[in-house]
Structures are given as C-alpha cells and as structure tokens.
Amino acid sequence: MSIEKSPLRRKLDKLFVPLTVGPTLLWIAAIIVYPTAKLLVSSFQFRNPVTNEMEFVGLRNFQRLIFAREGGNAALGIFNPSFVSITTNTVIYVGFSVSISFLLGLGIALLLDKDLKGRGWFRTAVIVPWILPYVMSGLMWRWMFQSDFGAINGALQRLGIISGNIPFLSDGALAMMALIIADVWVFTPFIIIILLAGLQNVPEQLYDAAEVDGASRWSRFWNVTYPFLKPSILVALTIRIIFDIRALDLVWVMTQGGPGKSTEVWASWLYRTAQVFNEPGSGAALGVVLLAVTFAIVASLYKIFGESPYQA
Amino acid sequence: MSTKKSPLNRLRRSLGLDTQNEWPSVARERLLAYGLLAVYVLIIWFPIYYIFVTSIKPSSEVLSLPITFLPQSPTTQNYVDIFTNRPFDNYTINSMIVATTTTLICITLGTVTGYSFSRFDFMGNKSLLLSIVGARMIPPIALIVPFFQIMSNPPLIGGFTGSLYDTRLALILTYTFFNLPFAVWIMKNYFDGIPESLDEQARIDGCSRWEAFVKIILPMAKPGIAATAILAFIFSWNEFVFALVLTSSEQAQTLPIAVSLFVADDFVDWAHLAAGGMIAALPGILFGLFFQQYIVSGLTQGAVKE
C-alpha cells in the first residue's frame, strides 16, 4: 500500500510536471514562437521579383508602409496617404463597432440579469449569432444589404420608408455602416456573456441597501454595479478591440475593402499585401505593426482602468 | 371588480401579482424587460430567418421581385445541388476532421498542462503561464506570412512530409495555435476550483500522482473539459483566414471557404450560398441551443479569471 511501492512509479511521479507541461511548451514553441520569430525576420526582408530570393532590406518595409515615398503625395506632411486613410478606416470601424456593441451588450446583459422566467431561452437566443461562422454571417449580411433583392431594401420599401433601392454596399459610407452593423450583430453576444458573468459578482444586499437609501437607478448603477463590473468591462473591451483590429472575415466577404478603398482596414490591407500582391516582406512589416499596436492597446486599457494585466 | 378574468388580470397573475393590488413598478419593469428582449431577439434572428428562407427557395424566386419573406414553393433542391454539383461532402468531411482533431489535441494537452499549472510550483511557472496566455494576444492574421512559408516548406519534418500546403494537417497544426493557449488557461482555472485536498487524500490512499489525476481529479473536471472542447471545436469549425491562405482545393478546403466560393466577381449564387451557409452554421446553432451553458462557462473561465 505504500506510496514507494516501486521505483518506476516514483520515477514517473517525479517526471509528472515535465511530462505534462513539456509537450505543450514544445508545441507552443513550434507553432507560436517560431512563426513569430519568422515574422520579425521577414519584416526586414524584401522578395526580389527577379530572383525570388528574400533579401535583407533593414527598415525599408516599415518606411514604405508608414511614410511617404520620396516625391510622393504626402498626407499630414510625412505619412503615406494610404496608411493614413486605412488607419482612419480601421479606427472608425473598430471605434463604432466596439462602442455600439458595448452599449447594446451592457443593456441586454442588465436585462438578462433580472430574475425573469424564460431567461435561459433568451440567453440562448442572444448568443447564437456569435457562434456562427463569421464568413456565413458576413455573406448573410451582404445578402441582407443587397440592393435589388436584399431584405433590408425590401422591408424598407414595404413599410413605405423609401421608394427606390439604396445601394448599401456600393457607397463608401453606407458600406462602412453595413460592415459595422454586421460586426455589432456578430460580437454583441460576446459582450453580453462576459458582462453577465460579471454582474453575478455584484452582491444582492448592496442593491437592497441602495434601494433603502433611496438611490436613483443611475446612482445605483454607478456606485454599486459599476465597481464590481469593472474587471469584466475591461476584459470585454480589451478582447473586443484587439479581435476587431485583426478581423478579416467580415470585411473580406462583405466588401473586400471596397468600394474603392473606403472599407479597407489593416486586416484586409495586410492580407492583400501579403497574399494578393505577393509581397511577404511588406505584409510581415504590417503584421509587426499590428502586433505592436495590439500590445499598446492592451497596455493602455489596463492603465486607464488602473489594473495590471493578469494579477496573480 | 367585474374584470376578474380580463387579460390584464391574467397577465398580472402570471407576473406573480395580487390582482387586487396596484400595478407595481416591479411588474412594469419586468414587462418592459420582456418586451425589449423580445424585440431584440426578433431583430437579431431575422437575418438568420431570411438566409434560411433563401436556402429553401428555388433560384428563380430568390431573384424575383417583389422579394418574398415566406417561400412560395419551398424546396430542398439547393441542398441537393450543393452535394451533387459541388463537393460539399468533401468540404464537410474536411471541416469535421480538422475541427475534431484540433479539439482532441487541445483538450489532451490543455488538460494535463492546465492541471500541472494549477497544482505545482515549478521553475518559472508563473512567467510560463503568462507567456502562454499572452500568446493569445498575437493577432493570427499577423502570422499569415510565416505560416504560409512554414507550411509550404516545413522545417524538420519537411523531409518526410514535403509541402503541407493544401493539406488538412496544415490547418490542424495552425488551429492549435489559437486554441491550445486558450485550452490551457480554461483548464488551469477549472482545476483551481477543485480542492487540492482531494489530490492529497488520494495520495494518502496510495495513489500515484498519475492515478490521483486520472482517477480522482479528471472525472471531476468533465464540465471544464466539455466547455473547452466545444469552444475549440466551434473556433476551428468557423475559421476562415488561414483556410483561405493555406488551402486551394477540395482535398483540404473547409466549409467556410466552400461558402465563400459561391461569390464570383460579378455574380453571387445566393440560393446555393444560403444552403451552404446553413450547413456551415448547423453545428453552431445546435451547440448554441443545447450546450449554451458550456459555451458561457468556458468563455467566462477563459476570459475572466475567477
């Protein structure tokens, strides 16, 4: 019965941590560390169109991406105009999508937090959009916004709100709006799930106490709910923002960055540069920029909310 | 008084109110909450309804005016077509193999590693865990260039396998990249919630570490494993960008790619696209309807610590 029954067993027990952690670390090194290192290397290289060899070019890829070429048209003095316009698009897309879905998600989460009958059904019904393949959702919205046979034009006409067809996806601003609507549709469930979990941490007695004190609904939210919800808000916003910056699926299947370049965002630009135009060096440089921006955003969000990431 | 059986009173009773009482603010609030939620659910389900309706309309009806919100002559022809005229059987099998294998790898490694991170204080475990979690912040799209290069010309194993471009293996390897760190993190948090005294009791009763883990702790971790598995499966099933970059033919292309292939430059075959989209969306809808609580708990464990 003794633990030290056999030396083999003892040896195996000693090796428990290396055997359980080792394979995962090796796997992660192969699948994450190595590609990331390769990304950094590629960002300093340029594919020579004649020899097809990758040549070391230092920081030239970054320079070409971000700054104006010599003699080229420069926006804001020194920056490359396409970099400026695509960055603006990204900020608009991410800014509107995240704030709208956050407010909507917060509202729905507060409603679902109430002790309602059939709450489980509502919860199921509201999270489904997030579980569907983004590609299918993007194409579904493209179909909704289709100008001749789409449901939105159809419904608006039937209700007598408009008489002609609105060409949603062939007008720059409207296409961006359509994209934001699709994005909000897909990702609001994520906010709802995270905030709903956070709302469970608010002690019920505090609500009662606030009620007795005659606190208004608004002050109850700010003084009771918000402090407990803050960590969840932080997580929801962080993940939402960094995932929106990298999201290609919806943009690619709905507008491909068009019409013109009016919905081109970093993700679609990166894909186009690396794959369509076959410039792996520039694509990798953009990838590095994206990586840096992601870390900067995460760091500043945690700074704003006054918490260090991953407290032990 | 004479309104004892009026619909209003029935409503009051179903909201748990005494019919004699005033209409209290709680009930009004509840009614408002129901109303808002119902409107919201109707709005967000409308596009799903419309794409489903499109999938059971004949192509001629899809492209005719005025558009119909109820199918005039429902048909399953579109579904039959995509499995006969297009290799949707291949796409579906590819999706299943890729998602299932990725899930198995992730829950196997994620479970054992998560357990060790939860129970043991070994060299550098805190910073190791931090870097595994931090890996989730790396935008996968930033890595399409290196992944394309690596899969086209894999180092070390390249001599045995040749190029992995356009293989299911390439997708499986790539998808563990998103899912494995996530799996380790969820499982670590799940094991943290199982008291360590159970391990100790098992050890006192003569179990080795392995036996304590496999016989005592693992069975208790089933809900956590289920949540991890469902999320990993959904993420892999839905993935699009790497499948777009790493595959080019029906021997490896998955359903999201197959659906996007209905879009030609100036023409979209909406009726068949809708049918393909419904096939691709099916596991998500089923998981959402039947395993919602696992998805929620997995996501919560994975995103918010504690």
Side-chain angles (χ1 to χ4, degrees):
Chain A
M1 283 305 281
S2 144
I3 301 167
E4 283 110 306
K5 199 160 56 181
S6 81
L8 176 69
R9 251 177 89 157
R10 242 184 316 159
K11 212 171 243 168
L12 273 177
D13 267 10
K14 272 209 175 120
L15 287 174
F16 191 89
V17 171
L19 284 177
T20 52
V21 178
T24 303
L25 287 185
L26 282 177
W27 193 288
I28 285 180
I31 212 81
I32 298 179
V33 180
Y34 178 65
T36 309
K38 220 165 150 54
L39 170 80
L40 293 174
V41 172
S42 304
S43 69
F44 297 118
Q45 292 176 330
F46 185 74
R47 195 181 59 86
N48 186 321
V50 183
T51 60
N52 236 352
E53 294 279 303
M54 297 294 281
E55 294 167 358
F56 181 78
V57 291
L59 290 170
R60 233 179 62 197
N61 288 327
F62 293 93
Q63 225 175 341
R64 263 164 33 105
L65 274 176
I66 301 173
F67 301 107
R69 266 160 254 188
E70 279 171 66
N73 250 356
L76 295 180
I78 50 166
F79 291 106
N80 180 340
S82 25
F83 181 78
V84 173
S85 77
I86 291 165
T87 305
T88 314
N89 286 344
T90 311
V91 171
I92 293 174
Y93 174 54
V94 175
F96 277 101
S97 306
V98 172
S99 29
I100 296 172
S101 67
F102 175 73
L103 293 175
L104 197 59
L106 178 62
I108 300 294
L110 288 171
L111 288 178
L112 282 174
D113 191 46
K114 287 182 194 295
D115 188 25
L116 297 175
K117 253 186 209 151
R119 193 166 61 162
W121 280 105
F122 277 119
R123 207 183 278 203
T124 302
V126 300
I127 73 167
V128 163
W130 180 75
I131 315 168
L132 306 182
Y134 303 151
V135 167
M136 131 78 177
S137 305
L139 289 166
M140 182 188 81
W141 278 103
R142 181 166 166 179
W143 176 225
M144 293 290 290
F145 282 113
Q146 211 264 357
S147 57
D148 302 315
F149 308 104
I152 293 183
N153 269 321
L156 289 177
Q157 282 175 8
R158 203 159 292 190
L159 294 171
I161 297 173
I162 53 168
S163 52
N165 286 329
I166 301 178
F168 286 106
L169 295 175
S170 34
D171 173 275
L174 289 177
M176 180 58 93
M177 184 205 73
L179 213 52
I180 291 168
I181 290 177
D183 191 280
V184 167
W185 185 86
V186 171
F187 292 105
T188 302
F190 175 78
I191 305 258
I192 297 176
I193 294 173
I194 300 295
L195 294 190
L196 209 46
L199 285 171
Q200 248 110 76
N201 298 334
V202 187
E204 200 68 38
Q205 311 95 282
L206 280 182
Y207 278 128
D208 301 341
E211 196 134 14
V212 170
D213 290 349
S216 73
R217 188 182 302 222
W218 193 239
S219 104
R220 254 182 291 162
F221 178 79
W222 273 117
N223 297 314
V224 180
T225 315
Y226 177 73
F228 285 95
L229 203 54
K230 220 166 94 169
S232 307
I233 293 179
L234 177 63
V235 167
L237 283 182
T238 313
I239 297 184
R240 199 53 192 88
I241 292 174
I242 63 177
F243 275 68
D244 236 21
I245 295 177
R246 65 180 62 163
L248 173 69
D249 312 37
L250 289 178
V251 182
W252 199 252
V253 299
M254 277 182 80
T255 65
Q256 294 230 347
K261 291 253 176 268
S262 49
T263 55
E264 185 90 313
V265 289
W266 277 350
S268 57
W269 193 25
L270 195 163
Y271 180 77
R272 201 184 306 279
T273 310
Q275 290 303 124
V276 183
F277 296 148
N278 196 11
E279 283 182 40
S282 304
L286 242 171
V288 173
V289 172
L290 195 55
L291 195 63
V293 169
T294 303
F295 279 96
I297 288 172
V298 173
S300 46
L301 270 175
Y302 276 91
K303 193 120 200 165
I304 293 169
F305 281 79
E307 274 172 64
S308 72
Y310 313 116
Q311 308 134 298
Chain B
M1 290 99 259
S2 61
T3 57
K4 265 243 165 301
K5 281 197 172 154
S6 78
L8 197 63
N9 278 344
R10 218 176 303 143
L11 188 62
R12 284 180 177 183
R13 264 198 305 278
S14 70
L15 290 168
L17 301 168
D18 183 348
T19 46
Q20 304 304 316
N21 280 351
E22 282 279 293
W23 190 250
S25 65
V26 185
R28 240 190 359 235
E29 216 167 274
R30 253 180 212 193
L31 210 57
L32 184 68
Y34 273 123
L36 288 174
L37 283 173
V39 170
Y40 180 76
V41 167
L42 283 179
I43 292 176
I44 61 166
W45 274 79
F46 178 68
I48 301 177
Y49 167 77
Y50 190 61
I51 196 106
F52 169 69
V53 164
T54 305
S55 78
I56 55 168
K57 285 179 187 175
S59 292
S60 55
E61 190 185 333
V62 169
L63 299 181
S64 67
L65 288 170
I67 62 166
T68 50
F69 290 104
L70 278 174
Q72 303 303 303
S73 44
T75 168
T76 53
Q77 193 56 43
N78 296 325
Y79 290 92
V80 175
D81 286 350
I82 60 172
F83 279 96
T84 46
N85 302 340
R86 291 193 181 235
F88 255 72
D89 42 352
N90 283 353
Y91 298 138
T92 310
I93 291 168
N94 291 341
S95 274
M96 281 182 170
I97 291 178
V98 169
T100 311
T101 317
T102 308
T103 305
L104 287 177
I105 294 173
C106 289
I107 54 171
T108 309
L109 290 177
T111 302
V112 294
T113 309
Y115 177 75
S116 273
F117 272 117
S118 163
R119 290 297 193 262
F120 298 101
D121 222 4
F122 50 92
M123 202 183 60
N125 61 338
K126 285 237 168 74
S127 41
L128 271 179
L129 186 64
L130 252 180
S131 31
I132 290 180
V133 177
R136 278 172 59 203
M137 285 204 286
I138 300 173
I141 188 155
L143 298 180
I144 57 173
V145 173
F147 265 101
F148 180 75
Q149 293 166 343
I150 290 168
M151 292 308 168
S152 307
N153 186 11
L156 298 178
I157 55 167
F160 304 103
T161 59
S163 168
L164 291 178
Y165 179 74
D166 201 24
T167 61
R168 293 186 285 239
L169 182 60
L171 292 183
I172 292 166
L173 292 172
T174 312
Y175 291 174
T176 58
F177 158 69
F178 320 101
N179 291 308
L180 185 54
F182 192 69
V184 172
W185 183 241
I186 305 182
M187 288 316 299
K188 190 255 173 198
N189 286 342
Y190 200 88
F191 286 124
D192 281 350
I194 299 176
E196 209 172 335
S197 55
L198 288 170
D199 306 50
E200 280 152 21
Q201 189 56 49
R203 300 267 287 141
I204 291 166
D205 290 348
C207 289
S208 74
R209 281 205 191 290
W210 295 92
E211 284 166 347
F213 172 57
V214 175
K215 285 187 190 155
I216 310 293
I217 305 300
L218 211 49
M220 300 187 70
K222 269 183 200 158
I225 296 173
T228 313
I230 289 171
L231 283 175
F233 187 90
I234 290 174
F235 289 152
S236 317
W237 180 274
N238 291 353
E239 206 282 336
F240 172 66
V241 177
F242 280 97
L244 188 63
V245 173
L246 297 176
T247 63
S248 61
S249 79
E250 69 214 47
Q251 66 168 333
Q253 281 173 328
T254 50
L255 282 170
I257 301 296
V259 178
S260 75
L261 291 178
F262 287 107
V263 180
D265 280 338
D266 49 357
F267 176 77
V268 183
D269 182 358
W270 288 111
H272 291 102
L273 184 152
M278 289 311 294
I279 302 277
L282 199 59
I285 294 179
L286 291 179
F287 278 132
L289 292 181
F290 296 109
F291 301 110
Q292 181 244 125
Q293 73 272 30
Y294 288 110
I295 296 172
V296 170
S297 80
L299 203 59
T300 318
Q301 297 261 1
V304 198
K305 207 178 155 190
E306 292 308 318

